[in-house]
């Protein structure tokens, strides 16, 4: 099978690890090989201290490559923070984004390659040469697209970078809207549309539907290509609350209820064919979308693989039907 | 007194620490305050992994600011090396220049300020705001001037960056000559010529006479300004061998004998007025230069302060004579 997965950070990365496990453990192993192409969100990329940071791509790469800080879900294992301490001693801003030393090296490599003229897709491939994530990891675009957040608080109404809203303010300042700066004129990275077109189906992990999956679908051409395929999503909302992260604050900003049903309706039946919800949401009905309920907490590798397996099975089933 | 010191890395930094001690401990403390302006060598600066590294400026800043690795003489105390390990894991070249994590932060700050358009002199001042070295530290120039080494070995005749010759090859490939790339069109950094003109005298620490002091004097205008002053130097050669480092390899390349006398003659009596040599070299005569012998190993703070005090006393004495 050829599978395409649109992925944000932690949720997407863990789902992908489960998917790799599920594909290798399938009973019908007779089938030769399954390829996974990941289209990663780059909307929350940011330039810090002159270094280009791609949090979601790196979380996928580190998680699948065995370098992730497991407890935290992002950043490197066995990390040190000398650079951060020193930048603070120099009074450098911002101090709310804590770059670890091992992580900094990744950004140094990326920034140097960018300065040398390489596109992000080629750089991501080069970084993956080391990490061997076992998937083909593509950025959604080689163009610079950054999610900014329109907020209003005591300091007035202003747009701030998504990371400032998310990391510095913990999404606690109400967001009025999200702007994907640069998306209008961006084009999908080389290989993205081809991978979708050749895919047997597309999976949406329980990533943030607004600022992760939403950013990817916002690159002109990607939504249409994906909509033409069998698409199965995994709900990031269980019983009215995000599985992790602060997706509720994002959904609120775009006027979508924090529920498994509302997120599926937000994706819409023209995009979505199948939808996995947690047992807590069993009975949810989404018009035009096949809904299945099963335990959705990715609490351990086995559970996560079971979720991925259910997504694959539903996609195969829906694909055979159509 | 207003004192100007031309300085390279370790030798210059240690001498400067001794000079600060000596000035504060003088018996005639009645005199209000002594200012020290350091003109630092930037000829061995190098861009590594997109980061601008100024080894000599940093060695002076860290040494006088209390952040130096004392045993090593360069780099930061309590250093970690996560970034270096990771860059190696990515296969990044060069691997022969080992940047520590704390040190990397300094280069990140500098590189970001350079990218923002600040000149090196302003950046050095900003970095010193943190380190409070107790001297005014000026780069010799804000222009990019890099010492390259013309070498010939089995790989043919070629020019390599000074750091590659010094650090990677440990100065073991015979050098044919040194080229100060960019020096011809460089101008002294703001404040350099003014500091020299206003100085009571100029001191040359036991820094490398070729690639450290020599690079500084090679910036058009600096040699003439210095030569107009009373200048006292401290021999970097004791009994025919460099006190530390590989100055002999540099002297050989420019056809100067490795001896206290030959280095003084290389500076020449039109530049140099006084010359401190070690007791091992007592009796050395340099035409037109006042030579004094005393123990010159900077083995501890007291000894180093005594050397600096001797240099100051000789400069004051020669100044009064002229």
């Amino acid at each position: 099978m050829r599978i395409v997965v649109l992925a944000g950070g932690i949720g997407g990365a863990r789902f992908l690890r489960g998917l790799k496990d599920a594909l290798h453990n399938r009973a019908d192993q007779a089938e030769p090989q399954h390829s996974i192409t990941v289209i990663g969100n780059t909307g929350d990329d940011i330039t810090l201290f002159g270094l280009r940071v791609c949090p979601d791509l790196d979380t996928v790469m580190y998680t699948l490559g065995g370098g992730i800080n497991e407890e935290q879900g992002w950043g490197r294992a066995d990390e040190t923070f000398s650079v951060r301490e020193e930048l603070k001693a120099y009074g450098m801003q911002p101090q709310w984004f804590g770059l670890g030393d091992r992580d900094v090296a990744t950004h140094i490599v990326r920034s140097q390659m960018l300065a040398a003229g390489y596109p992000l897709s080629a750089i991501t491939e080069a970084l993956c040469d080391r990490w061997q994530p076992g998937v083909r990891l593509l950025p959604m675009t080689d163009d610079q697209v950054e999610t900014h957040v329109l907020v209003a608080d005591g300091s007035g109404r202003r747009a701030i970078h998504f990371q400032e809203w998310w990391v510095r303010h913990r999404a606690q300042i109400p967001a009025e809207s999200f702007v994907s700066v640069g998306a209008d004129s961006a084009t999908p990275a080389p290989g993205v549309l081809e991978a979708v077109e050749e895919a047997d189906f597309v999976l949406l992990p329980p990533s943030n539907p607004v600022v992760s999956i939403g950013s990817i679908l916002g690159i002109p051409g990607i939504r249409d290509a994906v909509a033409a395929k069998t698409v199965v999503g995994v709900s990031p909302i269980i019983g009215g609350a995000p599985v992790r992260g602060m997706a509720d604050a994002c959904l609120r900003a775009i006027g979508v209820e924090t529920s498994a049903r509302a997120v599926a309706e937000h994706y819409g039946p023209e995009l979505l064919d199948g939808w996995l919800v947690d047992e807590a949401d069993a009975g949810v009905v989404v018009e035009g979308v096949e809904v299945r309920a099963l335990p959705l907490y990715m609490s351990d590798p086995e559970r996560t693989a079971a979720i991925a397996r259910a997504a694959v099975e539903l996609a195969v089933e829906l694909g055979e039907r159509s």
Side-chain angles (χ1 to χ4, degrees), chain A residues 41-44 140 145 147 180 209-219:
Chain A
N41 172 42
T42 59
D44 57 358
M140 62 190 195
V145 173
T147 304
S180 202
V210 185
V211 295
S212 296
I213 307 284
S215 291
I216 301 170
L217 294 172
I219 302 300

Side-chain angles (χ1 to χ4, degrees), chain A residues 97-109:
Chain A
F97 201 98
L99 291 174
D101 299 332
R102 294 188 185 282
D103 200 28
V104 159
T106 299
H107 311 319
I108 288 177
V109 175

Side-chain angles (χ1 to χ4, degrees), chain A residues 157-232:
Chain A
R157 199 152 168 274
R158 64 197 193 282
I160 58 178
H161 191 285
F162 172 73
Q163 294 293 355
E164 187 171 355
W165 182 68
W166 192 254
V167 176
R168 184 182 190 185
H169 299 295
R170 313 290 308 157
Q172 293 303 301
I173 306 180
E176 292 190 3
S177 62
F178 299 97
V179 185
S180 202
V181 180
D184 287 354
S185 57
T187 54
V192 164
L193 294 183
E194 294 77 356
V196 174
E197 276 156 24
E198 292 167 7
D200 292 295
F201 51 85
V202 176
L203 301 181
L204 310 184
S207 290
N208 189 308
V210 185
V211 295
S212 296
I213 307 284
S215 291
I216 301 170
L217 294 172
I219 302 300
I222 295 187
R223 178 184 290 273
D224 288 346
V226 170
K229 292 286 165 175
T230 298
V231 178
V232 170

Side-chain angles (χ1 to χ4, degrees), chain A residues 33-44:
Chain A
Q33 228 171 344
H34 308 294
S35 77
I36 303 172
T37 298
V38 179
I39 302 174
N41 172 42
T42 59
D44 57 358

